[in-house]
Amino acid sequence: MQITAPKFKENATKALHDASLQKALGNVERGFVAKRAKAAAALPEFDALRDAARDIKNHTLENLDLYLEAYEEKVTAAGGHVHWASTAKDARDAILDICKTANARTVTKGKSMITEEIGLNDHLEKNGIHPIETDLGEYIIQLRGETPSHIIAPAVHVNKEEIEADFRRVHTHLPKDRQITEPTALLSEARVVLRQEYFNADVGITGANFLIAETGSSIIVTNEGNGDLTQTLPRVHIVVASIEKVVPTLEDVSTILRVLARSATGQDMSVYTTLSTGPKRPEDPDGPDEYHVILLDNGRSSMLGTEFQDMLRCIRCGACMNHCPVYHAVGGHAYGSVYPGPMGAVLTPKLWGIDQSGHLPNASTFCGRCESVCPMRIPLPKMMRHWRERAFEAHQEPAAQRYGLSLWAFLAKRPKLYHLATGIAARGMAMLGGSKRRLSSLPLAGGWTKHRDLPAPEPKTFLQQWAEGKR
Amino acid sequence: MTSAPPRRPKVGLFVTCLVDLMRPAVGFAAARLLSNNGCDLVVPPEQTCCGQPAFNSGDREDTRAIAEQVIATFEGFDYVVVPSGSCAAMMKVHYPELFAAGSNWRARAEAFSAKVFELVSFLTDVLKIEALDARFPASATYHDSCSGLRELGIHDQPRRLLAGIDGLSLTEMKDPDVCCGFGGTFCVKYSDISNAIVERKAANITASGADTVLAGDLGCLLNMAGKLKRDGSAIKARHVAEVLAGMADTPAIGEG
């Protein structure tokens, strides 16, 4: 995808003025937050499960090479193939290769953020292969030529009226006078259209929520069942997953699954939890003839052993963005990256460089709500702060900001000078505030006074008054 | 840390740079609350700021230098009390992280961190105060400031003390625990987004029907008061310490 993270501010301002987007964003807040809270409250051991899930993933990351090797061995033993991809290009090439060997013309896809990350759809299309998204949300945004604005609800920014218009524009073979104003009617129509595509497809591509070292299985969770049809009907199934998706055992996965759906949608479990282990065996009634796994690194291994390692625990539930006031205000597209919200603010600079994505870890109030709901207890604000440190060391912020900060720090380290300066500032601002005791404009504080008044201070600071004996 | 305090504990008051410059009344209220409740209070004149702006801007070197200065100034007290959840969390949670494990400064920072408390939680959790003798005839709603709430677990303490204030009725707003959009430098650097967030907060405050919004952090209060005033609202904004100290008869934040 095209990374527009450098234009985050412009994107955000545009989003704030987009009435239809603002209406749609209300759904994130109203829907997901209350549902997660209810699901968490209904499970007394929820927090203990979060700790257990965190520990499982920490242990796995400490021994990632061993578990990946064990996983590969099991996949191979089950008759599947593992393809290691260091970069997005490696992954795209490997997938295209498999598709070409299979003479594929149509490829169905289960929802997969990792294929968004590697820009797979464009690549397939350029090479004459038609990818069809089968997750309803992904299907809608594919029709619109857009990218997901949320990692579990890719079309959360679209209203149902817009979807109706898109369906009428694209599904021209259907009667013009059909009624598709209701969500269920839209769903039925998409289901009918997609059903044919499942049969047409030569290759099915899915992501993986987890890879299990113990058995060589991949797991996808969906609410629509589209993943199952994607991976069982075509001749070839390709799983695309990043290396940190591996967990040691089935038992471990069952622990993490218990926090995943609750955190994401407030469900106890997703409607479908599908395990795939290798291609169809002789006694199986159905399934693919070939089973491939693309294991993508794309910068993940370079996070190991650094201050960003904890991010690799992420299970992509989206709870952080569902609870983020900044995400609520601007939506996912404003971030201009594949992964939006707090988790994206940490992951994106790793994928595309902090020089491209410096805004993302900065555009947070550090309110900490993301960390408080993260099922894997990832300290997201702390890691955003680490990115700010990297950006600061690289002198990335605007000069005025940097000088302002260093002047302030210079004073803060010198109490006498500091108090001289605050004394002058208090007197000055008190004077400007006049009898109304507030400022509606102030030099150098335009960011504040554009939207808010600034309550004026008293002419003397607290420390001045205290020194003079006022109590 | 919550064991009984020494008789007349020696308490250093860290007033925070925003209180010092923008709202001295909060400093006086904090001082009165501590003095009237058995503390031997000192306000060290060498104090400046806790270093949060540098910390959150990624400037670790300056943050460390400021932290060392704060620790050196305050480590001799039994307790260090701060009328701000955000600055208290900076000193209590983040100072130790600034120094290498095993270093001398790490040890000093950890010992210091154990003595740091946010004002309201110090009153309830350390001094074990259940009720304060003050009057404030108003209907108020309480905004949970993010750092105090999530880094220090301050939620019930202010509500409990406010419930005992004569004449005060407390009404909860919708989403009291959602950020007001202040976020330190965020509100200036991402002004439009900050505005969208504080607009929602102002709407929730207004919808609560309360005539006053209270909070424990001046940053959030300046933000909320600034927005309410810009919109021409009559709702007043005050630091919770002013109410608890019985010093809420002065003009509210941003009023003449």
Side-chain angles (χ1 to χ4, degrees), chain A residues 404-424:
Chain A
L405 180 72
S406 55
L407 171 67
W408 169 85
F410 176 86
L411 291 170
K413 288 185 286 186
R414 293 166 180 77
K416 282 198 177 121
L417 275 179
Y418 176 90
H419 294 135
L420 191 66
T422 51
I424 294 169

Side-chain angles (χ1 to χ4, degrees), chain A residues 148-202:
Chain A
S149 68
H150 189 290
I151 60 172
I152 66 156
V156 73
H157 59 285
V158 188
N159 292 311
K160 74 174 195 267
E161 291 74 21
E162 294 170 313
I163 299 169
E164 182 189 342
D166 291 325
F167 280 14
R168 289 195 185 282
R169 176 172 55 80
V170 177
H171 302 159
T172 47
H173 62 291
L174 296 173
K176 282 201 165 56
D177 59 350
R178 68 194 190 280
Q179 280 290 321
I180 46 170
T181 48
E182 288 313 304
T184 46
L186 291 166
L187 177 66
S188 303
E189 179 162 319
R191 187 196 300 260
V192 169
V193 172
L194 284 171
R195 187 57 54 116
Q196 199 50 48
E197 303 288 2
Y198 290 122
F199 294 128
N200 291 344
D202 309 291

Side-chain angles (χ1 to χ4, degrees), chain B residues 213-248:
Chain B
V213 57
L214 301 173
D217 252 285
L218 194 55
C220 319
L221 282 162
L222 292 172
N223 186 38
M224 295 185 292
K227 186 71 199 171
L228 289 164
K229 290 301 153 203
R230 174 64 57 92
D231 292 349
S233 168
I235 297 172
K236 298 173 189 307
R238 283 188 184 281
H239 194 285
V240 65
E242 299 172 30
V243 174
L244 297 180
M247 294 169 76

Side-chain angles (χ1 to χ4, degrees), chain B residues 118-232:
Chain B
E118 182 275 339
L119 174 68
V120 178
S121 63
F122 181 73
L123 297 175
T124 56
D125 303 349
V126 179
L127 297 182
K128 309 287 180 198
I129 291 168
E130 295 294 329
L132 290 159
D133 183 22
R135 181 169 165 72
F136 182 56
S139 71
T141 189
Y142 181 82
H143 164 75
D144 293 284
S145 295
C146 300
S147 304
L149 175 71
R150 299 193 182 89
E151 294 187 296
L152 301 176
I154 297 165
H155 180 269
D156 296 343
Q157 300 94 322
R159 289 177 171 82
R160 224 159 55 219
L161 289 182
L162 287 169
I165 299 294
D166 185 22
L168 176 66
S169 68
L170 203 60
T171 328
E172 293 289 345
M173 69 175 100
K174 178 175 175 277
D175 297 335
D177 60 340
V178 171
C179 181
C180 73
F182 174 65
T185 53
F186 172 86
C187 66
V188 188
K189 285 198 272 186
Y190 298 94
S191 177
D192 291 348
I193 305 174
S194 171
N195 178 52
I197 302 174
V198 73
E199 260 176 9
R200 289 183 195 207
K201 182 54 73 172
N204 288 341
I205 294 168
T206 307
S208 77
D211 57 40
T212 303
V213 57
L214 301 173
D217 252 285
L218 194 55
C220 319
L221 282 162
L222 292 172
N223 186 38
M224 295 185 292
K227 186 71 199 171
L228 289 164
K229 290 301 153 203
R230 174 64 57 92
D231 292 349

